[in-house]
Amino acid sequence: MPLSPLIPPLCALLLALLSWQAATDGPVRSLDERFGHWLAESSLPSPAAQFFADLGDAAVALPVLVLALAYAALRGRRARAPRWWLPPLAAALAMAAVPALVVPLKTWIGRPGPPRMAGGAHEGFFPSGHAATAAVAYGAALLLLLPYARERARTRRPTPFIAYGLLNVAVGVGLVRQGYHWPLDVLGAWCLAGLVLWCLHRALLTARRPGPVRPRPRASRAPGPPGP
């Protein structure tokens, strides 16, 4: 999956702009909250929205990633790949980076949540931890498992990424429909996840790069000493 080097600065710039708008009581935030109210009161089926919103819960997303970590480690070790442990470790660190980044941002920006979340124990709602968890957990699992896909599956490369994108859109819509987050919270989480997954992708490329091949010593063709 070729990723442009422009992705990190674009994600960082968009995250900064969204953070600014979420922290200030401006027209963008007002529009965002109006759209959030409209979606929360829409006719979208609540059970389906709740199902997809729950996919961003750590209790659901983390076991999926753990299974992907175990599978990648097992396959790499069986194949005796050099640094077979590095891709699972990099994916685990990427997942650990989510709360380390989301929690300080939530506390710093301190955006109030939707009316349903009023009176909760949350320090802030931007960016969405559930949206970031889903994006990074399922994205890391996809990056880990894709190299082990069969050749027939590899010829349809866009398919798993399209499915991954649609899944995250469904999670984001579910979070807003159920009144857990505003739309800007979800967008900010996706920008943050884009940065984390780009770093993970680069780390996986480095880990899977074959090392230098050392030539085997050749037997000398020089004639041996004459016999007695």
Side-chain angles (χ1 to χ4, degrees):
M1 181 183 62
L3 289 179
S4 168
L6 294 177
I7 288 181
L10 288 177
C11 286
L13 177 61
L14 186 56
L15 178 60
L17 291 175
L18 293 175
S19 301
W20 168 44
Q21 292 299 320
T24 58
D25 192 10
V28 174
R29 177 167 154 176
S30 298
L31 180 63
D32 173 58
E33 293 179 358
R34 285 200 298 270
F35 180 71
H37 283 301
W38 173 82
L39 188 57
E41 297 169 0
S42 67
S43 59
L44 287 175
S46 181
Q50 186 63 50
F51 170 79
F52 286 110
D54 288 341
L55 293 182
D57 194 285
V60 179
L62 288 186
V64 174
L65 179 59
V66 168
L67 289 175
L69 294 174
Y71 182 83
L74 182 63
R75 286 290 301 267
R77 188 173 183 181
R78 282 184 177 178
R80 297 182 178 179
R83 298 172 294 183
W84 59 268
W85 47 268
L86 191 51
L89 177 61
L93 291 176
M95 192 68 246
V98 171
L101 295 172
V102 168
V103 173
L105 274 174
K106 280 187 172 185
T107 305
W108 177 49
I109 295 175
R111 184 187 188 184
R116 177 174 180 175
M117 305 304 293
H122 293 78
E123 294 292 336
F125 287 81
F126 179 94
S128 166
H130 280 67
T133 297
V136 173
Y138 303 134
L142 179 60
L143 291 175
L144 280 176
L145 298 180
L146 193 63
Y148 302 107
R150 296 180 179 180
E151 288 297 328
R152 181 178 298 180
R154 290 184 184 179
T155 59
R156 303 175 181 177
R157 280 196 164 215
T159 304
F161 295 106
I162 293 174
Y164 166 75
L166 292 176
L167 175 63
N168 280 278
V169 169
V171 170
V173 171
L175 291 170
V176 178
R177 167 63 179 85
Q178 295 302 97
Y180 299 137
H181 278 287
W182 303 112
L184 280 185
D185 304 342
V186 175
L187 293 178
W190 288 346
C191 293
L192 189 65
L195 289 170
V196 173
L197 290 176
W198 189 89
C199 294
L200 174 61
H201 175 72
R202 301 305 302 176
L204 294 181
L205 287 181
T206 302
R208 290 165 177 159
R209 188 175 300 152
V213 179
R214 298 180 179 179
R216 296 181 178 178
R218 296 182 180 180
S220 175
R221 296 184 180 180

